[in-house]
Amino acid sequence: MLIVQKYGGTSVGNLERIKNVAKRVAKAKEEGNDIVVVVSAMSGETNKLIEYANYFSKTPSKRDMDLLLSSGERVSAALLSIALNEMGYPTIAMTGRQAGIVTDSSHTTARIEKINTKPMEDELKSKKIVVVAGFQGINKDGSVTTLGRGGSDLSAVAIAGALKADKCEIYSDVDGVYTTDPRIEPKAKKLDKISYEEMLELASLGAKVLQNRSVELAKKLGVIIEAKSSFNENSGTIITKEEDIMEKPVVSGIALDKNQARVSLRGVEDRPGIAAEIFKALAKENINVDMIVQTIGHDGKTNLDFTVPQNELERAKTVMKEFKNEYELVEYEPNVSKVSIVGVGMKSHSGVASKAFETLAKENINIEMISTSEIKISMIIDEDKSEIAVRALHSAYDLDK
Ligand code: ADP
Ligand code: ASP
Ligand code: MG
């Protein structure tokens, strides 16, 4: 079998842990498999490098940031390769470029365009363990690019797809995908299987156990992922096609995203084009607007609420100043959270939303904004109450049973 294994930051967090990873890789090799290992930077390393850059500049060039941040993964790849060699296993450590990963030029959030698989295939043929630095590639000009935070998951899925691997195992400090973050609700249950669609929603809505773009790509390429822990031998969670899952619970999981801030405009001029102007101005500043609610206008005025990531709020405030003649009042709420309920079963069951609202009402938690799709309900609430909300919802939908 050809197995792609990806080890995240915690799994390679110190030298002892890299040794542990080396032993796990060696075991899979001894079982007769061909192995490509993708590694993240040691935990905390990427954040440390960002801090270093911010010491000099709040707006460093993205090209420089990519060169800087890609170094974290190279350190882990080289160290793991050295450790495996010392144990007697022939290896080849590769950067993203050496592994043939070609991306577009959107520095810090690059998309993989293709993978020239020949270098990895040649090394596998000569029975070497291929160790690839995750999270990076090069663009057509040969500049180093990175794939966005958590992007080593994406490297692993892309490589598994390109090499037509039999398995893509993603190792972290949890042994799978749980009904909610087990750090918030210890009663959370591990899911044996989850569909790409649900996992994509959970990951996009805050469950960082898998990077959302990696799930999207896995779905597109038909790569089956197994999320596992590098700290034990437990079986993990399989992320696969909806058709392959027999039991479909109405609600599969609850996600929490604490990185939200709310902007509320009161008494906005209710004329065609106003929303377009405001959101165009925000987009121009690269501010990622998430949830948007506009109420029905009265007397030529309307209210407009939206959320942005907390660290983009200051920039959003600056943009709002440009529009100060277009509204009567603006309010900023820097600490809100988005709690989301996800499940494919919602498509065919009613009453899921009303149960969520009742549950939060019972806890005296005010819902500030709501948005829904076919398989999710998201609510903006006060950050201080967000973990209580997650636990209450988790129990209301019997996810702890
Ligand atoms: P890595 O650094 O290995 O990529 P991450 O820290 O990105 O790992 O992801 C693992 C973490 O995801 C866990 O420690 C856990 O707290 C968090 N997490 C959030 N939601 C979930 C969930 N639904 N199931 C499992 N883990 C979750
Ligand atoms: N090191 C990168 C990050 O922290 C990529 C990854 O870990 O997947 O975002
Ligand atoms: Mg991760």
Side-chain angles (χ1 to χ4, degrees):
M1 267 209 282
L2 170 58
I3 306 179
V4 174
Q5 297 190 329
K6 178 260 172 176
Y7 292 92
T10 338
S11 302
V12 296
N14 58 41
L15 302 179
E16 206 46 53
R17 286 183 179 176
I18 292 178
K19 197 164 196 177
N20 169 55
V21 167
K23 285 184 192 152
R24 299 184 75 106
V25 172
K27 183 161 167 270
K29 180 74 183 165
E30 289 297 338
E31 286 164 1
N33 301 299
D34 289 332
I35 313 284
V36 177
V37 196
V38 177
V39 284
S40 283
M42 295 164 84
S43 57
E45 199 56 32
T46 307
N47 287 341
K48 191 184 83 187
L49 294 170
I50 293 172
E51 258 173 52
Y52 284 179
N54 289 342
Y55 174 83
F56 301 106
S57 166
K58 288 278 168 253
T59 52
S61 106
K62 290 189 172 179
R63 186 180 180 283
D64 287 347
M65 284 310 284
D66 276 350
L67 189 62
L68 177 68
L69 297 191
S70 64
S71 69
E73 269 67 13
R74 293 172 185 222
V75 170
S76 318
L79 289 175
L80 177 61
S81 174
I82 293 168
L84 279 163
N85 272 170
E86 194 58 25
M87 290 163 63
Y89 295 90
T91 59
I92 176 86
M94 294 178 165
T95 64
R97 178 182 69 78
Q98 291 166 334
I101 299 175
V102 182
T103 72
D104 66 11
S105 291
S106 29
H107 282 291
T108 73
T109 52
R111 291 192 160 267
I112 297 179
E113 285 181 341
K114 64 167 186 235
I115 301 186
N116 298 320
T117 49
K118 189 158 187 318
M120 282 189 284
E121 279 164 351
D122 287 348
E123 300 292 352
L124 287 171
K125 266 185 212 134
S126 65
K127 291 297 153 200
K128 286 192 185 141
I129 296 172
V130 177
V131 185
V132 181
F135 178 54
Q136 57 189 277
I138 54 157
N139 66 11
K140 60 178 187 327
D141 310 322
S143 301
V144 178
T145 53
T146 64
L147 309 176
R149 296 308 304 268
S152 298
D153 293 347
L154 184 63
S155 309
V157 169
I159 290 172
L163 294 175
K164 304 199 168 48
D166 299 286
K167 278 186 172 185
C168 180
E169 301 172 337
I170 296 193
Y171 290 89
S172 71
D173 57 355
V174 272
D175 54 5
V177 179
Y178 278 69
T179 46
T180 193
D181 189 341
R183 287 181 209 249
I184 296 173
E185 174 53 282
K187 285 190 237 154
K189 291 275 182 293
K190 185 167 65 186
L191 302 164
D192 292 332
K193 285 187 175 181
I194 184 167
S195 67
Y196 291 124
E197 289 76 11
E198 289 169 304
M199 191 62 236
L200 185 56
E201 288 284 6
L202 285 175
S204 307
L205 295 167
K208 69 166 187 166
V209 56
L210 289 173
Q211 189 223 26
N212 57 356
R213 283 172 56 197
S214 74
V215 182
E216 205 176 357
L217 187 68
K219 182 181 169 197
K220 189 169 148 206
L221 303 178
V223 171
I224 295 172
I225 302 176
E226 183 169 5
K228 302 175 90 165
S229 164
S230 66
F231 298 102
N232 61 46
E233 298 298 327
N234 300 350
S235 63
T237 300
I238 307 278
I239 296 97
T240 186
K241 291 198 294 281
E242 196 186 319
E243 303 90 271
D244 295 346
I245 299 173
M246 302 283 278
E247 244 179 289
K248 293 192 183 76
V250 178
V251 171
S252 294
I254 315 268
L256 175 61
D257 178 359
K258 289 190 174 181
N259 181 25
Q260 297 261 330
R262 180 167 55 83
V263 179
S264 302
L265 301 175
R266 299 279 165 263
V268 182
E269 287 304 322
D270 196 9
R271 61 170 171 82
I274 179 74
E277 286 167 32
I278 291 176
F279 292 116
K280 204 167 116 194
L282 290 162
K284 207 170 128 237
E285 293 302 315
N286 274 318
I287 297 168
N288 290 296
V289 175
D290 184 5
M291 225 189 261
I292 302 173
V293 171
Q294 182 179 344
T295 47
I296 293 174
H298 269 295
D299 307 326
K301 304 274 180 192
T302 184
N303 296 332
L304 189 59
D305 291 73
F306 56 91
T307 62
V308 298
Q310 283 174 0
N311 59 350
E312 294 175 14
L313 180 62
E314 287 310 311
R315 286 191 287 131
K317 287 184 183 175
T318 312
V319 175
M320 288 309 106
K321 284 197 189 114
E322 290 170 29
F323 288 91
K324 63 178 190 302
N325 296 328
E326 304 278 357
Y327 55 77
E328 288 163 359
L329 184 73
V330 58
E331 278 170 9
Y332 300 106
E333 178 50 70
N335 296 307
V336 293
S337 293
K338 180 168 65 177
V339 214
S340 307
I341 301 158
V342 173
V344 282
M346 274 182 217
K347 286 187 211 169
S348 49
H349 282 74
S350 54
V352 179
S354 60
K355 180 177 262 184
F357 307 151
E358 266 167 40
T359 306
L360 296 193
K362 244 186 255 161
E363 297 291 330
N364 234 335
I365 297 170
N366 188 36
I367 304 171
E368 300 176 12
M369 296 164 88
I370 301 169
S371 86
T372 62
S373 79
E374 242 193 344
I375 65 163
K376 73 126 203 272
I377 301 161
S378 295
M379 295 166 289
I380 295 289
I381 60 171
D382 186 356
E383 184 175 310
D384 288 342
K385 298 198 174 140
S386 61
E387 298 200 358
I388 300 174
V390 168
R391 288 189 288 266
L393 292 165
H394 193 265
S395 137
Y397 293 102
D398 289 335
L399 294 175
D400 42 6
K401 297 279 156 56

